[in-house]
């Protein structure tokens, strides 16, 4: 991650409205891809669906070409945590697929991820995904003016741990977002509350818990992208981009208008 500045970018209401347009493209794309997930489909076919959807919505993919990334979405299967590259892999019944997508509208980014069951998935893996999603929403709830950044991190960690015995991945974080996809500040998914910068109206943050069914220790495959759980246990990843507004958190990458 390359930071141009340690300042957290503040957006005007008009700029957040453009970010909402980008977020809606991401939401529609994730929905289209998730709808196509089934045993037998390849991750490359899913990437093509995302490419078409982003183009149809007059947006630009954030990921394609990002530090050389060769696809529009990241597709991470089972023990793959994040940054999986779409390809010839055929999804099988029982897999858990994490899909991460970013889109740009008029220079402003949206970034979100979902984990989707392929066919019939085991109860423990479904519980992992549900815990990770609920932790995301717990973090989003803390994206309020006057809170401190680590209030988000703490809420995410508490929610995952409250849901069961899961590992919280610490080597990757959420991030500020706006005119670039990855901006200051990094947002860990663990930590004590009450630390870090005070959140202000006009900030936009991508909150993205990653959790595992086993050990949260991760490594990177020889493709230099795919992050995997070293113990090969399954992982889940959920993400939304949220804006901090006068009236509270505005989830920019949800299909519906969600103000928390
Ligand atoms: Mg993402
Ligand atoms: Mg992100």
């Amino acid at each position: 991650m390359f930071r141009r500045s340690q300042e957290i970018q503040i957006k005007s209401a008009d700029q957040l409205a453009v970010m909402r347009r980008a977020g809606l493209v991401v939401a529609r794309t994730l929905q289209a891809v998730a709808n196509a997930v089934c045993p037998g489909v390849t991750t490359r076919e899913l990437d093509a669906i995302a490419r078409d959807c982003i183009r149809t919505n007059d947006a630009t993919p954030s990921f394609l070409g990002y530090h050389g990334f060769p696809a529009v979405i990241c597709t991470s299967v089972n023990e793959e945590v994040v940054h999986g590259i779409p390809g010839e892999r055929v999804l099988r019944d029982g897999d858990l697929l994490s899909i991460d997508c970013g889109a740009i509208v008029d220079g402003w980014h949206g970034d979100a991820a979902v984990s989707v069951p392929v066919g019939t998935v085991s109860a423990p893996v479904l519980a992992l995904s549900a815990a990770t999603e609920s932790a995301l929403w717990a973090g989003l709830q803390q994206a309020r003016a006057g809170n401190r950044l680590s209030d988000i991190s703490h809420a995410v960690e508490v929610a995952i741990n409250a849901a069961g015995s899961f590992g919280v991945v610490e080597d990757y974080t959420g991030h500020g977002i706006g005119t670039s996809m990855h901006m200051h500040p990094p947002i860990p998914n663990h930590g004590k509350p009450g630390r870090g910068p005070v959140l202000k109206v006009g900030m936009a943050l991508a909150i993205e818990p990653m959790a595992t069914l086993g050990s949260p220790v991760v490594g990177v495959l020889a493709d230099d992208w795919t992050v995997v759980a070293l113990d090969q246990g399954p992982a889940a990843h959920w993400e939304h981009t949220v804006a901090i507004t006068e009236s509270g958190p505005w989830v920019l990458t949800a299909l519906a208008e969600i103000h928390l």
Side-chain angles (χ1 to χ4, degrees), residues 57-153:
N57 281 277
D58 297 321
T60 305
S62 300
F63 295 2
L64 186 63
Y66 181 82
H67 297 289
F69 191 78
V72 166
I73 52 175
C74 296
T75 51
S76 307
V77 186
N78 298 338
E79 78 280 1
E80 298 173 355
V81 182
V82 287
H83 304 166
I85 303 172
E88 295 312 307
R89 181 168 185 162
V90 178
L91 295 179
R92 298 189 306 181
D93 189 62
D95 286 342
L96 184 70
L97 172 70
S98 296
I99 309 159
D100 196 343
C101 180
I104 311 165
V105 170
D106 293 346
W108 295 90
H109 290 249
D111 183 10
V114 294
S115 292
V116 180
V118 183
T120 305
V121 173
S122 75
V125 172
L126 290 177
L128 166 69
S129 181
T132 312
E133 183 182 14
S134 71
L136 166 61
W137 287 97
L140 292 167
Q141 282 284 3
Q142 296 301 317
R144 295 178 188 278
N147 279 358
R148 285 186 180 268
L149 186 71
S150 82
D151 294 337
I152 295 172
S153 307

Side-chain angles (χ1 to χ4, degrees), residues 222-240:
D223 63 15
D224 276 340
W225 282 106
T226 312
V227 176
V228 298
L230 283 186
D231 69 0
Q232 300 291 300
H237 178 214
W238 285 83
E239 178 180 23
H240 271 306

Side-chain angles (χ1 to χ4, degrees), residues 160-247:
I160 292 179
N161 289 335
S165 185
F166 303 111
V168 178
V169 176
E170 298 186 358
D171 287 3
Y172 293 83
T173 67
H175 48 91
I177 182 169
T179 49
S180 298
M181 178 167 59
H182 290 140
M183 304 184 79
H184 194 67
I187 310 171
N189 290 307
H190 66 101
K192 294 184 170 140
R195 309 254 172 110
V198 175
L199 303 180
K200 295 184 178 145
V201 169
M203 291 179 178
L205 306 171
I207 300 172
E208 48 181 317
M210 292 149 259
T212 58
L213 208 49
S215 162
V217 177
V218 296
V220 180
L221 294 185
D223 63 15
D224 276 340
W225 282 106
T226 312
V227 176
V228 298
L230 283 186
D231 69 0
Q232 300 291 300
H237 178 214
W238 285 83
E239 178 180 23
H240 271 306
T241 297
V242 63
I244 297 167
T245 75
E246 298 277 4
S247 56

